[in-house]
Each structure stands twice: as C-alpha cells, then as structure tokens.
Amino acid sequence: MTDLKGIRVRFAPSPTGELHIGSLRTTLTNYLFARKNNGTFILRIEDTDQKRFVDGAIERLIDSLAWAGMTIDEGVKIDESTGVVIEDGPCGPYIQSKRLAIYREYVQQLLDEGKAYHCFCSAERLAEMRAVQQARKEAPKYDRHCCALTTEEVQAKIDAGESHVVRFKIPEGMTSFDDMIFGHIEVNNDTLDDQVLMKSDGFPTYHLAVVVDDHLMEISHVIRATEWLASTPKHVLLYEAFGWKETMPQFCHVAPILNHNRKKLSKREGSVSVQDFRDKGYPKEAIINFIALLGWNPKTEQEIFTMDELISQFDTAKMNRAGGVFDMDRLNWISREHIKRMTIEDLYREGLPFLEQKEFFEKAKVSKHKEDFIKRLLTVEQDRLDTFVQIGEENQFFFADAVTVDKDVLRWKENTDTDTQEVLARAQTILAAVSEEDWTRENVEKILMEAAGEKRGDFLWPLRAALTGEKRSPSPFDCAWVLGKDETLERITHALTCYM
Ligand code: GLU
C-alpha cells in the first residue's frame, strides 16, 4: 500500500449527468474540510453502474468543479495542456471501471473466508420471494436460499455458465459507528439484507467498491450525502470482514438541499445543476457562499463569505442535520452582494460573455463594444445586478444609436414646453463647455448639480429623459458619463428637435 498521510477526503460522483447543486454542496464540504485541515482533496469517479453512464459527464463534472474554484489534488483531473482526462495517481486508476481486477481480488478473499457467497437466484424467484415478504408485511430481504449450496454445487453451476452474483453474508449481532453530524448510530444486523457485492456483469456494486477504494486510497473522512447513511452499517461490516476496522474512515453525512415543501430539490423545481446557475449568470462566489450557508451556521452575523473565509471558519460541528431550504430570493441577494464587491476588471471579464449574447449588444455600433464604454456601464449598473445576465438589460437605451423622445416624456411635472426647451438648451451649453478630459463621473455630477441649483427636477428630469427616452433610468450624470460627451450632446440636440 502507498504511504499517504494526513486528512484525505474524496468526492466520488457517478458520471450520470450534470453536477447537481446538492452534490456541489457535498463537494464543497469535502473541499472546505480538506483545505481547512491541510488535507488532500481527491476526485474519484464511481461508474460501476454502466447503464447510467453519460458520455462527457466526467469532463463536465471536472469543469464544474474548476469553475467553482475547487482544485483537485489527486485523482481524476484534466491535463491543462492537452485537455485529456488523467485517470491515474498514487492509488492507481481513480475511475472505478478501471479497477475491476482489484474488486475481484477482494471479493475472492471474502468468498474464500466464507464471508460472502454466490447467489444464482433468478430475477423471477427474487420477485416472488419479495411479494411473499410484502404480503406478510416483512421487510424485503434475501432468504439465503443459495447460502446452503455446497462448494461443488456452486462450482458446477459456475461451470455450466449460470448467471450469478456474489452476496455479503451479513453476520449476526449489532453494528454501530459515530457519524460526525448524526452522532452514534447502532443497528441490529438482522435488519440488513445480504448485500450484492459483485453483479452478474462482473462489476462490483457501489457498496463493495466504495469500501475497497476508501480503504486503499486511505480516505480519512467519508463526507457524503445523507442518502448513504442507511448503507453505512453495511460498509462498517465490510471493513470488519476485511480486517480493516482499525483504519476505518470517519463518516460525515451531509443533509440534502430541500425545496419549499421540504422535499429533496429535484428537476421539477427548474434549475438544479451547477451548469444551470452558471448559464443564468450567477458568480461562482455567490453559488459557493449560498450553498455553504444551506445547512451550515457560522453562528455570527456574517452572511457574505469568500472561499478563503469559508475555509477558515468551516467547522463540521456547526453543520445542521436538517436539509437547508433552497431560497431563490436569498441566492439573488447573496449574488448581488458578491457582484457589488467585484472589481470592475473582474466584472468585465465575467460579465462580457453574457452581454455578448444579447441582441441589443450585437446590433449596437462598434463604439458600444469598446472596453471603456462597457466598463462605464458596469460601474453604473454594478450595485443593481443580481446576475451577469442582467447586464445592460434594463438600460438598453445606452446601446441604441438614438432614443425616441417626445415632449410628454421630457416635461417635468407642471412645466411648460418652453421651460423644458430652455433647460435642455442650457444643459447643452454647459456640457459642451466641459473638456473631454474633465468628462469624469464626479465632474459631470458636480457641474450638473450646480447648474440645477434648488430646482433639481426641473433641470435634471428633461436632461435625463433626453439621454434615455425612459421614465426610469440611472441618474443623468451617470447616463452622460457612460454615453460620453459627443453622444450626450447629440442626444440633447435630438431632443430639442421636438420643439421645432
Ligand atoms: N457515487 C456515490 C454518489 O454519487 C458516492 C457516494 C459516496 O460518496 O460514498 O452518490
């Protein structure tokens, strides 16, 4: 065995599709635990159920982890330069379908020691057996029909090519373990079914593969979803059967993410995969922050965390047993707070791909595609964005070649058209006198506020309406600054044509 030290945790997804937001939370728990304890974060692919394998799922899983900022220390990775999946590491292959010989060897050990047995029962016989048990209101459990076969009988059946599985012979007694979140758990072994370890297709079941791999990979803490809590006693018994009890990992079962009816979040709720949220333009920091707080209570007032802050404050003792309810409004709030904290450089880099998909952007003239212009827009919109998808949405007038205005939109309250025309002409003169270098956000605001004096609405409303054509928009200073001097003056001139 390899000499692997310290805290070692693994994320062990089955490559059956997109990474679910609930799985991202399990991954995050593993990741935070590893980083907090200077441990190793391992990615292992559990693809022993070949029927459920989805092509490309491994690559997409890795991509989702990378996007979320979780770096894999060991296990399946993508070679940055070639883009090829790396499957091997210090523990051999980290994709279970490449480890079949290893599982066979360990199953053979259990067979040799009489701790497992071959089962030749047909699907029909098992179904009948279950129906009888159900009618008697008994829990479904294999009746050990094949356990009575002699070695010769077993061999004869194997030689005759009879389809079979290998089952674990659950010993009598009680089994217990301590879960880091659920505490002490004890079950009577007679409630446990003789688990299939090796399927008829020669693939191990999850239960066998997970125990063998966690042992060989020297996993110190198994952090996974609560759906596996009920299977853990069987795993504990397998550790005992192999003689690995002394080095058995600690278990930590993480509650699922729930919908408003307190049921597990499913596709019916709409977005459930990490990719869905990515496509919707949520910053990764927001998703991470949001899911970290679902079912984890930092016990302080702080609600907005960076990954580094999560790592330093993470503590499994503060994790809840109950699942956290997915609240979209809260996600949007957290997302907005993260966007507010971004530098304009980062916001530009992350937001541009979303803006580029918009028709209003595509149709806009070249000057509206310039970095300077977009950064000014982002500066103005930054505090109001929940997601990157919203960039420019509410303020499409910035991208238009010209805006349509009429006297009704331009007029402030009871003012006359003559008042409005005068105000626009004055604004035009004042702004025309500002040099290009002085056209900063602060200066434009200062100059216009001075010009407005006491009667702010009378001066600022017509100007804002002339620049935007809208009843609601950012302030006239912000609009003038984003548009730049030339376009601002052009739009005022255009508005003045209403009075000709
Ligand atoms: N392959 C299992 C799953 O995707 C992993 C369970 C575990 O972490 O032990 O749920």
Side-chain angles (χ1 to χ4, degrees):
M1 220 156 113
T2 40
D3 184 23
L4 306 161
K5 300 230 159 50
I7 299 287
R8 291 172 57 80
V9 295
R10 85 300 192 276
F11 173 50
S14 299
T16 54
E18 293 294 338
L19 183 62
H20 187 280
I21 192 88
S23 301
L24 185 74
R25 201 165 85 82
T26 312
T27 326
L28 180 66
T29 313
N30 274 290
Y31 183 77
L32 296 177
F33 189 76
R35 291 291 169 266
K36 170 98 191 205
N37 297 294
N38 292 321
T40 305
F41 175 64
I42 296 162
L43 178 64
R44 182 174 75 221
I45 302 294
E46 303 206 328
D47 60 345
T48 55
D49 190 351
Q50 292 283 296
K51 290 191 288 294
R52 292 173 64 222
F53 185 85
V54 173
D55 234 10
I58 299 179
E59 288 82 351
R60 290 212 299 282
L61 270 166
I62 299 175
D63 182 57
S64 291
L65 293 191
W67 174 77
M70 292 187 246
T71 39
I72 300 161
D73 302 319
E74 190 180 306
V76 178
K77 292 184 201 173
I78 302 259
D79 183 316
E80 301 257 317
S81 55
T82 60
V84 169
V85 175
I86 308 173
E87 303 166 354
D88 294 339
C91 300
Y94 288 74
I95 297 183
Q96 288 187 329
S97 60
K98 311 259 187 245
R99 299 172 63 80
L100 300 183
I102 302 175
Y103 308 125
R104 283 190 195 128
E105 187 189 316
Y106 283 102
V107 167
Q108 194 55 49
Q109 180 188 326
L110 294 183
L111 285 166
D112 292 347
E113 293 173 1
K115 292 172 181 168
Y117 59 94
H118 290 93
C119 171
F120 300 88
C121 288
S122 64
E124 294 74 39
R125 180 178 184 275
L126 294 174
E128 263 170 44
M129 180 195 78
R130 260 182 236 118
V132 172
Q133 288 168 337
Q134 255 167 5
R136 288 198 210 127
K137 304 243 180 307
E138 292 169 7
K141 216 172 130 184
Y142 181 60
D143 60 4
R144 291 206 167 157
H145 178 75
C146 292
C147 202
L149 294 173
T150 64
T151 318
E152 292 72 34
E153 285 170 327
V154 168
Q155 199 52 54
K157 281 175 180 290
I158 293 175
D159 292 345
E162 272 193 47
S163 167
H164 61 274
V165 300
V166 175
R167 287 182 185 272
F168 183 33
K169 192 172 174 188
I170 298 272
E172 284 179 8
M174 302 289 290
T175 300
S176 66
F177 64 97
D178 291 302
D179 186 86
M180 287 163 69
I181 295 175
F182 288 85
H184 189 71
I185 293 189
E186 188 164 295
V187 299
N188 193 324
N189 295 358
D190 66 14
T191 61
L192 305 174
D193 195 7
D194 278 359
Q195 181 63 51
V196 173
L197 300 178
M198 198 57 105
K199 295 180 281 187
S200 54
D201 61 3
F203 274 74
T205 55
Y206 155 72
H207 303 282
L208 176 82
V210 79
V211 168
V212 169
D213 284 352
D214 285 342
H215 171 72
L216 294 179
M217 295 178 183
E218 298 187 32
I219 299 301
S220 60
H221 295 75
V222 167
I223 302 172
R224 64 182 167 202
T226 39
E227 62 184 291
W228 302 110
L229 189 60
S231 302
T232 308
K234 283 192 250 184
H235 301 175
V236 173
L237 285 169
L238 275 171
Y239 280 100
E240 283 175 3
F242 283 119
W244 299 335
K245 190 75 193 286
E246 289 299 303
T247 54
M248 191 171 78
Q250 291 210 49
F251 295 100
C252 175
H253 286 90
V254 180
I257 298 180
L258 307 175
N259 64 20
H260 279 286
N261 301 322
R262 303 201 72 82
K263 296 255 158 46
K264 204 169 145 184
L265 192 70
S266 77
K267 280 212 175 111
R268 256 165 288 142
E269 271 84 43
S271 304
V272 287
S273 76
V274 175
Q275 190 60 44
D276 289 337
F277 290 99
R278 220 171 140 174
D279 292 344
K280 286 187 169 175
Y282 286 98
K284 55 177 181 282
E285 295 81 1
I287 297 287
I288 292 292
N289 189 159
F290 173 68
I291 60 167
L293 294 189
L294 281 174
W296 174 66
N297 187 345
K299 308 223 161 88
T300 63
E301 296 287 293
Q302 188 176 355
E303 291 184 277
I304 302 302
F305 294 85
T306 61
M307 184 71 105
D308 285 343
E309 287 169 333
L310 287 173
I311 291 170
S312 71
Q313 297 191 36
F314 181 74
D315 180 359
T316 47
K318 290 179 183 163
M319 286 179 72
N320 304 332
R321 288 183 187 192
V325 174
F326 190 99
D327 176 351
M328 205 60 176
D329 292 338
R330 184 154 165 78
L331 170 61
N332 287 336
W333 179 78
I334 289 178
S335 183
R336 187 183 277 229
E337 291 302 313
H338 276 278
I339 292 179
K340 274 187 200 167
R341 287 163 171 76
M342 288 174 85
T343 63
I344 288 298
E345 290 301 324
D346 287 346
L347 185 52
Y348 176 75
R349 190 172 30 81
E350 305 259 341
L352 186 62
F354 291 89
L355 186 58
E356 282 173 341
Q357 285 171 26
K358 296 289 161 71
E359 206 183 314
F360 63 79
F361 181 80
E362 221 174 85
K363 286 189 174 157
K365 59 184 178 208
V366 180
S367 63
K368 304 293 169 75
H369 291 185
K370 292 214 169 117
E371 190 171 330
D372 280 359
F373 171 77
I374 298 169
K375 282 185 176 168
R376 289 200 298 275
L377 168 79
L378 291 172
T379 308
V380 166
E381 288 194 332
Q382 184 166 25
D383 287 358
R384 279 170 258 193
L385 297 171
D386 288 343
T387 64
F388 301 135
V389 165
Q390 292 172 354
I391 294 171
E393 270 302 321
E394 295 272 297
N395 300 312
Q396 294 183 27
F397 56 85
F398 279 129
F399 295 90
D401 286 349
V403 293
T404 322
V405 278
D406 60 41
K407 291 177 187 170
D408 288 339
V409 176
L410 293 166
R411 191 187 315 109
W412 168 252
K413 289 192 175 164
E414 312 301 317
N415 286 354
T416 64
D417 287 345
T418 317
D419 297 333
T420 312
Q421 190 181 2
E422 268 175 27
V423 158
L424 287 173
R426 192 154 74 87
Q428 193 181 37
T429 312
I430 292 167
L431 291 171
V434 181
S435 70
E436 289 282 353
E437 301 84 73
D438 288 343
W439 198 271
T440 62
R441 197 181 184 191
E442 297 70 31
N443 254 339
V444 171
E445 174 162 5
K446 192 167 144 269
I447 291 163
L448 291 176
M449 283 301 270
E450 270 168 25
E454 297 285 290
K455 296 180 134 193
R456 286 194 191 175
D458 300 63
F459 185 72
L460 298 178
W461 177 274
L463 173 59
R464 203 194 49 73
L467 299 183
T468 65
E470 304 282 339
K471 292 203 163 143
R472 285 167 48 106
S473 74
S475 74
F477 334 117
D478 284 345
C479 292
W481 177 61
V482 173
L483 289 167
K485 183 175 172 181
D486 290 349
E487 195 161 355
T488 297
L489 295 177
E490 265 170 39
R491 288 192 182 195
I492 300 172
T493 305
H494 177 69
L496 282 166
T497 59
C498 293
Y499 305 97
M500 284 172 178

mmCIF file with all atom_site columns, all heavy atoms in Angstrom, residues 10 12-14 46 206 210 224 228, ligand 1:
data_model
loop_
_atom_site.group_PDB
_atom_site.id
_atom_site.type_symbol
_atom_site.label_atom_id
_atom_site.label_alt_id
_atom_site.label_comp_id
_atom_site.label_asym_id
_atom_site.label_entity_id
_atom_site.label_seq_id
_atom_site.pdbx_PDB_ins_code
_atom_site.Cartn_x
_atom_site.Cartn_y
_atom_site.Cartn_z
_atom_site.occupancy
_atom_site.B_iso_or_equiv
_atom_site.pdbx_formal_charge
_atom_site.auth_seq_id
_atom_site.auth_comp_id
_atom_site.auth_asym_id
_atom_site.auth_atom_id
_atom_site.pdbx_PDB_model_num
ATOM   1  N N   . ARG A 1 10  ? -12.573 12.514 -0.274  1.00 0.00 ? 10  ARG A N   1
ATOM   2  C CA  . ARG A 1 10  ? -12.825 12.323 -1.702  1.00 0.00 ? 10  ARG A CA  1
ATOM   3  C C   . ARG A 1 10  ? -14.239 12.765 -2.055  1.00 0.00 ? 10  ARG A C   1
ATOM   4  O O   . ARG A 1 10  ? -15.166 12.661 -1.272  1.00 0.00 ? 10  ARG A O   1
ATOM   5  C CB  . ARG A 1 10  ? -12.582 10.862 -2.097  1.00 0.00 ? 10  ARG A CB  1
ATOM   6  C CG  . ARG A 1 10  ? -13.735 9.885  -1.910  1.00 0.00 ? 10  ARG A CG  1
ATOM   7  C CD  . ARG A 1 10  ? -14.210 9.763  -0.492  1.00 0.00 ? 10  ARG A CD  1
ATOM   8  N NE  . ARG A 1 10  ? -15.110 8.675  -0.227  1.00 0.00 ? 10  ARG A NE  1
ATOM   9  C CZ  . ARG A 1 10  ? -16.427 8.699  -0.416  1.00 0.00 ? 10  ARG A CZ  1
ATOM   10 N NH1 . ARG A 1 10  ? -17.020 9.778  -0.844  1.00 0.00 ? 10  ARG A NH1 1
ATOM   11 N NH2 . ARG A 1 10  ? -17.160 7.636  -0.146  1.00 0.00 ? 10  ARG A NH2 1
ATOM   12 N N   . ALA A 1 12  ? -16.893 11.597 -4.773  1.00 0.00 ? 12  ALA A N   1
ATOM   13 C CA  . ALA A 1 12  ? -16.983 10.365 -5.566  1.00 0.00 ? 12  ALA A CA  1
ATOM   14 C C   . ALA A 1 12  ? -18.264 10.321 -6.390  1.00 0.00 ? 12  ALA A C   1
ATOM   15 O O   . ALA A 1 12  ? -19.134 9.488  -6.162  1.00 0.00 ? 12  ALA A O   1
ATOM   16 C CB  . ALA A 1 12  ? -16.913 9.166  -4.622  1.00 0.00 ? 12  ALA A CB  1
ATOM   17 N N   . PRO A 1 13  ? -18.397 11.207 -7.348  1.00 0.00 ? 13  PRO A N   1
ATOM   18 C CA  . PRO A 1 13  ? -19.652 11.242 -8.116  1.00 0.00 ? 13  PRO A CA  1
ATOM   19 C C   . PRO A 1 13  ? -19.780 10.102 -9.119  1.00 0.00 ? 13  PRO A C   1
ATOM   20 O O   . PRO A 1 13  ? -18.777 9.531  -9.553  1.00 0.00 ? 13  PRO A O   1
ATOM   21 C CB  . PRO A 1 13  ? -19.559 12.574 -8.860  1.00 0.00 ? 13  PRO A CB  1
ATOM   22 C CG  . PRO A 1 13  ? -18.094 12.787 -9.056  1.00 0.00 ? 13  PRO A CG  1
ATOM   23 C CD  . PRO A 1 13  ? -17.429 12.192 -7.849  1.00 0.00 ? 13  PRO A CD  1
ATOM   24 N N   . SER A 1 14  ? -21.023 9.814  -9.449  1.00 0.00 ? 14  SER A N   1
ATOM   25 C CA  . SER A 1 14  ? -21.291 8.886  -10.550 1.00 0.00 ? 14  SER A CA  1
ATOM   26 C C   . SER A 1 14  ? -21.506 9.753  -11.788 1.00 0.00 ? 14  SER A C   1
ATOM   27 O O   . SER A 1 14  ? -22.235 10.734 -11.717 1.00 0.00 ? 14  SER A O   1
ATOM   28 C CB  . SER A 1 14  ? -22.541 8.064  -10.263 1.00 0.00 ? 14  SER A CB  1
ATOM   29 O OG  . SER A 1 14  ? -22.322 7.330  -9.084  1.00 0.00 ? 14  SER A OG  1
ATOM   30 N N   . GLU A 1 46  ? -17.214 7.115  -9.781  1.00 0.00 ? 46  GLU A N   1
ATOM   31 C CA  . GLU A 1 46  ? -17.876 5.847  -9.457  1.00 0.00 ? 46  GLU A CA  1
ATOM   32 C C   . GLU A 1 46  ? -18.835 5.472  -10.588 1.00 0.00 ? 46  GLU A C   1
ATOM   33 O O   . GLU A 1 46  ? -19.997 5.852  -10.583 1.00 0.00 ? 46  GLU A O   1
ATOM   34 C CB  . GLU A 1 46  ? -18.584 5.980  -8.104  1.00 0.00 ? 46  GLU A CB  1
ATOM   35 C CG  . GLU A 1 46  ? -17.590 6.387  -7.013  1.00 0.00 ? 46  GLU A CG  1
ATOM   36 C CD  . GLU A 1 46  ? -17.984 5.963  -5.624  1.00 0.00 ? 46  GLU A CD  1
ATOM   37 O OE1 . GLU A 1 46  ? -19.190 5.901  -5.325  1.00 0.00 ? 46  GLU A OE1 1
ATOM   38 O OE2 . GLU A 1 46  ? -17.079 5.691  -4.811  1.00 0.00 ? 46  GLU A OE2 1
ATOM   39 N N   . TYR A 1 206 ? -21.783 -0.519 -5.824  1.00 0.00 ? 206 TYR A N   1
ATOM   40 C CA  . TYR A 1 206 ? -21.259 0.674  -5.160  1.00 0.00 ? 206 TYR A CA  1
ATOM   41 C C   . TYR A 1 206 ? -20.705 0.308  -3.783  1.00 0.00 ? 206 TYR A C   1
ATOM   42 O O   . TYR A 1 206 ? -19.615 0.753  -3.397  1.00 0.00 ? 206 TYR A O   1
ATOM   43 C CB  . TYR A 1 206 ? -22.388 1.720  -5.046  1.00 0.00 ? 206 TYR A CB  1
ATOM   44 C CG  . TYR A 1 206 ? -22.190 2.688  -3.916  1.00 0.00 ? 206 TYR A CG  1
ATOM   45 C CD1 . TYR A 1 206 ? -21.196 3.672  -3.989  1.00 0.00 ? 206 TYR A CD1 1
ATOM   46 C CD2 . TYR A 1 206 ? -22.974 2.618  -2.759  1.00 0.00 ? 206 TYR A CD2 1
ATOM   47 C CE1 . TYR A 1 206 ? -20.994 4.557  -2.946  1.00 0.00 ? 206 TYR A CE1 1
ATOM   48 C CE2 . TYR A 1 206 ? -22.775 3.500  -1.715  1.00 0.00 ? 206 TYR A CE2 1
ATOM   49 C CZ  . TYR A 1 206 ? -21.787 4.467  -1.810  1.00 0.00 ? 206 TYR A CZ  1
ATOM   50 O OH  . TYR A 1 206 ? -21.582 5.328  -0.763  1.00 0.00 ? 206 TYR A OH  1
ATOM   51 N N   . VAL A 1 210 ? -16.936 1.128  -2.927  1.00 0.00 ? 210 VAL A N   1
ATOM   52 C CA  . VAL A 1 210 ? -16.690 2.307  -2.085  1.00 0.00 ? 210 VAL A CA  1
ATOM   53 C C   . VAL A 1 210 ? -15.809 1.939  -0.878  1.00 0.00 ? 210 VAL A C   1
ATOM   54 O O   . VAL A 1 210 ? -14.900 2.688  -0.499  1.00 0.00 ? 210 VAL A O   1
ATOM   55 C CB  . VAL A 1 210 ? -18.033 2.984  -1.670  1.00 0.00 ? 210 VAL A CB  1
ATOM   56 C CG1 . VAL A 1 210 ? -18.713 2.269  -0.525  1.00 0.00 ? 210 VAL A CG1 1
ATOM   57 C CG2 . VAL A 1 210 ? -17.809 4.432  -1.292  1.00 0.00 ? 210 VAL A CG2 1
ATOM   58 N N   . ARG A 1 224 ? -20.294 12.596 2.661   1.00 0.00 ? 224 ARG A N   1
ATOM   59 C CA  . ARG A 1 224 ? -21.196 12.330 1.539   1.00 0.00 ? 224 ARG A CA  1
ATOM   60 C C   . ARG A 1 224 ? -22.637 12.620 1.936   1.00 0.00 ? 224 ARG A C   1
ATOM   61 O O   . ARG A 1 224 ? -22.921 12.955 3.085   1.00 0.00 ? 224 ARG A O   1
ATOM   62 C CB  . ARG A 1 224 ? -21.045 10.883 1.080   1.00 0.00 ? 224 ARG A CB  1
ATOM   63 C CG  . ARG A 1 224 ? -21.460 9.895  2.127   1.00 0.00 ? 224 ARG A CG  1
ATOM   64 C CD  . ARG A 1 224 ? -21.265 8.456  1.664   1.00 0.00 ? 224 ARG A CD  1
ATOM   65 N NE  . ARG A 1 224 ? -21.377 7.544  2.788   1.00 0.00 ? 224 ARG A NE  1
ATOM   66 C CZ  . ARG A 1 224 ? -20.854 6.331  2.799   1.00 0.00 ? 224 ARG A CZ  1
ATOM   67 N NH1 . ARG A 1 224 ? -20.176 5.878  1.760   1.00 0.00 ? 224 ARG A NH1 1
ATOM   68 N NH2 . ARG A 1 224 ? -21.013 5.553  3.845   1.00 0.00 ? 224 ARG A NH2 1
ATOM   69 N N   . TRP A 1 228 ? -26.824 8.026  1.966   1.00 0.00 ? 228 TRP A N   1
ATOM   70 C CA  . TRP A 1 228 ? -25.970 6.860  2.198   1.00 0.00 ? 228 TRP A CA  1
ATOM   71 C C   . TRP A 1 228 ? -25.845 6.486  3.666   1.00 0.00 ? 228 TRP A C   1
ATOM   72 O O   . TRP A 1 228 ? -25.190 5.496  3.995   1.00 0.00 ? 228 TRP A O   1
ATOM   73 C CB  . TRP A 1 228 ? -24.575 7.082  1.603   1.00 0.00 ? 228 TRP A CB  1
ATOM   74 C CG  . TRP A 1 228 ? -24.645 7.363  0.135   1.00 0.00 ? 228 TRP A CG  1
ATOM   75 C CD1 . TRP A 1 228 ? -24.389 8.549  -0.482  1.00 0.00 ? 228 TRP A CD1 1
ATOM   76 C CD2 . TRP A 1 228 ? -25.060 6.460  -0.889  1.00 0.00 ? 228 TRP A CD2 1
ATOM   77 N NE1 . TRP A 1 228 ? -24.610 8.440  -1.831  1.00 0.00 ? 228 TRP A NE1 1
ATOM   78 C CE2 . TRP A 1 228 ? -25.024 7.167  -2.109  1.00 0.00 ? 228 TRP A CE2 1
ATOM   79 C CE3 . TRP A 1 228 ? -25.469 5.121  -0.896  1.00 0.00 ? 228 TRP A CE3 1
ATOM   80 C CZ2 . TRP A 1 228 ? -25.369 6.579  -3.324  1.00 0.00 ? 228 TRP A CZ2 1
ATOM   81 C CZ3 . TRP A 1 228 ? -25.811 4.541  -2.113  1.00 0.00 ? 228 TRP A CZ3 1
ATOM   82 C CH2 . TRP A 1 228 ? -25.758 5.267  -3.297  1.00 0.00 ? 228 TRP A CH2 1
HETATM 83 N N1  . GLU B 2 .   ? -21.180 7.515  -6.120  1.00 0.00 ? 1   GLU B N1  1
HETATM 84 C C1  . GLU B 2 .   ? -21.923 7.917  -4.972  1.00 0.00 ? 1   GLU B C1  1
HETATM 85 C C2  . GLU B 2 .   ? -22.855 9.039  -5.373  1.00 0.00 ? 1   GLU B C2  1
HETATM 86 O O1  . GLU B 2 .   ? -22.701 9.578  -6.449  1.00 0.00 ? 1   GLU B O1  1
HETATM 87 C C3  . GLU B 2 .   ? -20.969 8.380  -3.897  1.00 0.00 ? 1   GLU B C3  1
HETATM 88 C C4  . GLU B 2 .   ? -21.401 8.100  -2.527  1.00 0.00 ? 1   GLU B C4  1
HETATM 89 C C5  . GLU B 2 .   ? -20.223 8.239  -1.581  1.00 0.00 ? 1   GLU B C5  1
HETATM 90 O O2  . GLU B 2 .   ? -19.648 9.339  -1.540  1.00 0.00 ? 1   GLU B O2  1
HETATM 91 O O3  . GLU B 2 .   ? -19.887 7.279  -0.912  1.00 0.00 ? 1   GLU B O3  1
HETATM 92 O O4  . GLU B 2 .   ? -23.723 9.394  -4.641  1.00 0.00 ? 1   GLU B O4  1
#
